[in-house]
Amino acid sequence: MDLIKNLEWRYAVKKYSDESISEDKIDRIVEAINLTASSCGIQPYRLFVITNPELRQRLGEGSFNAQIHASSHLLLFAGFNEINTDYITNYIEMMELKRNLEKGGLKILEDTLIDYFSPQTPEQNAIWSDKQAYIGLGTALIAAAELRVDATPMEGFDSKLFDEVLGLSEKGLHASVIMSVGYRDADNDYLALTKKVRLPIDEFSTRIS
């Protein structure tokens, strides 16, 4: 399978070359993220694609991850601070429209979601949104590998700095996780030629019949 070969090929790149990724490939990665799964299907996070060199240098301050600024593009997954009734209602209306349903055709789903999220605290909403953002991150890593684009998922960044510099709080968002994309500098990346190490399948997985 090409998928397995591409996943064997990928690793978390430490050193990127100066080569830029085409916007066509970036668009395909973004589309894959948009198509990925999310609980209840309501996509409680937003994606930012950042290329501005000065901005990325600022966002990388204090981080040990030089890939924040030293790569082709930086992807930021920003979770919602709150899952409110207005968002749920608007999303359900869009679902009804896209599926050619009458208004109110998904009323039961709408009420169920409102009943579930309304009692939760903003902290609980934020944690749930972060978990959904990580599903998007996983899809992004696979999509990049399929395009033979290198990627590095990262938690080692100042999330408060990202929130402040990008004005995320005013947008009802917070920085959840980031991923750099580009092309590996194989001559200067110490991991480029090392063997990928994973547990044997029968140790990693258990089948229950």
Side-chain angles (χ1 to χ4, degrees), residues 77-151:
F77 297 78
F80 283 12
N81 293 335
E82 182 183 5
I83 315 295
N84 60 43
T85 298
D86 286 344
Y87 180 76
I88 293 170
T89 297
N90 291 335
Y91 204 98
I92 293 299
E93 286 180 356
M94 180 185 70
M95 290 176 69
E96 291 171 344
L97 183 63
K98 295 283 188 180
R99 295 176 179 176
N100 295 316
L101 299 174
E102 292 184 4
K103 184 174 175 58
L106 294 174
K107 180 65 174 171
I108 294 176
L109 174 60
E110 179 182 353
D111 290 345
T112 299
L113 293 176
I114 291 172
D115 289 345
Y116 177 78
F117 286 106
S118 293
Q120 294 194 13
T121 65
E123 182 181 13
Q124 288 173 316
N125 283 172
I127 291 172
W128 184 81
S129 295
D130 286 342
K131 291 180 179 180
Q132 306 311 306
Y134 272 79
I135 297 174
L137 173 68
T139 297
L141 289 167
I142 295 170
E146 282 282 82
L147 295 169
R148 286 287 170 138
V149 168
D150 287 299

Side-chain angles (χ1 to χ4, degrees), residues 150-189:
D150 287 299
T152 310
M154 292 173 280
E155 287 187 328
F157 66 98
D158 187 338
S159 59
K160 291 183 179 178
L161 177 63
F162 272 68
D163 293 350
E164 176 187 343
V165 172
L166 299 174
L168 296 182
S169 297
E170 291 80 1
K171 298 179 177 72
L173 302 168
H174 63 277
S176 300
V177 67
I178 59 176
M179 183 179 106
S180 61
V181 289
Y183 294 107
R184 66 188 68 175
D185 180 356
D187 292 335
N188 295 294
D189 189 338

Side-chain angles (χ1 to χ4, degrees), residues 13 15-27 29 48-54 56 66-75 148-152 154 179-185:
V13 171
K15 180 75 173 175
Y16 285 93
S17 71
D18 294 331
E19 184 179 358
S20 295
I21 301 170
S22 69
E23 288 306 311
D24 174 65
K25 288 188 175 182
I26 292 295
D27 289 345
I29 293 171
F48 293 79
V49 182
I50 307 169
T51 55
N52 183 285
E54 292 79 16
R56 291 175 60 187
Q67 302 96 318
I68 292 174
H69 63 83
S71 58
S72 177
H73 293 64
L74 180 69
L75 306 185
R148 286 287 170 138
V149 168
D150 287 299
T152 310
M154 292 173 280
M179 183 179 106
S180 61
V181 289
Y183 294 107
R184 66 188 68 175
D185 180 356

